[in-house]
């Protein structure tokens, strides 16, 4: 990942880098890898996340359509 610094504005470049990392999910992945997660718990978490995503998409779709 690369961010260019324009006009010696490091703060702006740092904000852009943080935004890119956030979008890629790096911070979330780091937080999840801090401790060991049992495979059964991981599977349950991923299933719950999937259901949450599907419900959110359905809600947005319903909101757009009517």
């Amino acid at each position: 990942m690369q961010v260019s610094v324009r006009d010696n504005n490091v703060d702006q470049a740092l904000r852009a880098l943080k935004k890119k990392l956030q979008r890629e999910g790096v911070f979330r992945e780091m937080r999840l890898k801090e401790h060991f997660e049992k495979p059964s718990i991981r599977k349950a978490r991923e299933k719950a996340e999937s259901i949450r995503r599907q419900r959110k998409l359905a809600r947005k779709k319903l909101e757009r359509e009517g």
Side-chain angles (χ1 to χ4, degrees):
M1 192 167 300
Q2 186 175 4
V3 176
S4 60
V5 179
R6 297 184 195 127
D7 301 327
N8 277 340
N9 195 346
V10 178
D11 292 330
Q12 185 180 10
L14 188 60
R15 268 192 311 240
L17 177 65
K18 284 182 180 179
K19 191 179 283 188
K20 283 185 178 184
L21 291 172
Q22 181 73 31
R23 226 178 279 137
E24 292 291 321
V26 173
F27 292 126
R28 184 173 180 280
E29 188 177 327
M30 283 177 16
R31 186 174 49 84
L32 287 172
K33 292 194 182 254
E34 283 178 354
H35 303 287
F36 178 75
E37 188 175 27
K38 287 173 48 179
S40 59
I41 295 175
R42 178 175 172 229
K43 190 175 179 181
R45 177 183 51 78
E46 288 176 350
K47 186 176 181 180
E49 288 173 357
S50 174
I51 291 170
R52 207 173 301 124
R53 267 194 313 272
Q54 289 173 354
R55 285 183 181 161
K56 184 176 180 180
L57 286 173
R59 227 181 11 253
K60 286 189 175 199
K61 185 178 179 183
L62 192 105
E63 190 176 288
R64 275 189 305 236
E65 290 177 356

